[in-house]
Amino acid sequence: MGKIYYCDFCDRSFVDGHDARKKHLMGSMHLRLRKEHYDSLRDAATILTEESAKVPCKRFRNTGECVFGGNCRYSHYSQDQLWELRQQ
């Protein structure tokens, strides 16, 4: 059967092969989960720098939800949350 490759980000395993691994690592689900993992490890200074440069998300501000989640190009932080990050 061969070696089994386990992806920690996706919590998924499959038969390891060059093509299968390359297809998985370039997949949109894997890339999104990997980005969310590393975004959760950012420090307050990095978050403040990145979020201060973004425009507030209108959809998130109006409804409290955004279909893009962490991949949204707009900021989901309120002015109070940004102020708290500055204090840290």
Side-chain angles (χ1 to χ4, degrees):
M1 183 166 149
K3 294 182 180 180
I4 301 293
Y5 179 80
Y6 177 75
C7 179
D8 289 327
F9 298 115
C10 303
D11 192 28
R12 181 172 177 230
S13 59
F14 52 88
V15 176
D16 192 16
H18 177 72
D19 293 334
R21 187 185 297 197
K22 184 176 179 181
K23 182 179 177 183
H24 173 76
L25 294 177
M26 299 307 285
S28 62
M29 180 63 83
H30 174 79
L31 293 174
R32 184 177 60 82
L33 291 172
R34 189 181 78 189
K35 182 182 181 308
E36 286 178 8
H37 171 73
Y38 284 113
D39 284 349
S40 69
L41 301 175
R42 296 184 301 171
D43 62 339
T46 306
I47 294 172
L48 180 62
T49 304
E50 292 176 0
E51 296 297 326
S52 295
K54 295 180 181 179
V55 175
C57 180
K58 292 179 184 176
R59 181 177 294 151
F60 188 79
R61 187 174 20 142
N62 292 338
T63 64
E65 296 180 4
C66 179
V67 294
F68 298 106
N71 293 328
C72 186
R73 72 174 77 172
Y74 303 107
S75 177
H76 293 168
Y77 283 82
S78 67
Q79 292 299 325
D80 295 334
Q81 291 171 325
L82 290 175
W83 185 81
E84 288 175 12
L85 286 173
R86 280 190 194 98
Q87 298 304 315
Q88 292 179 1

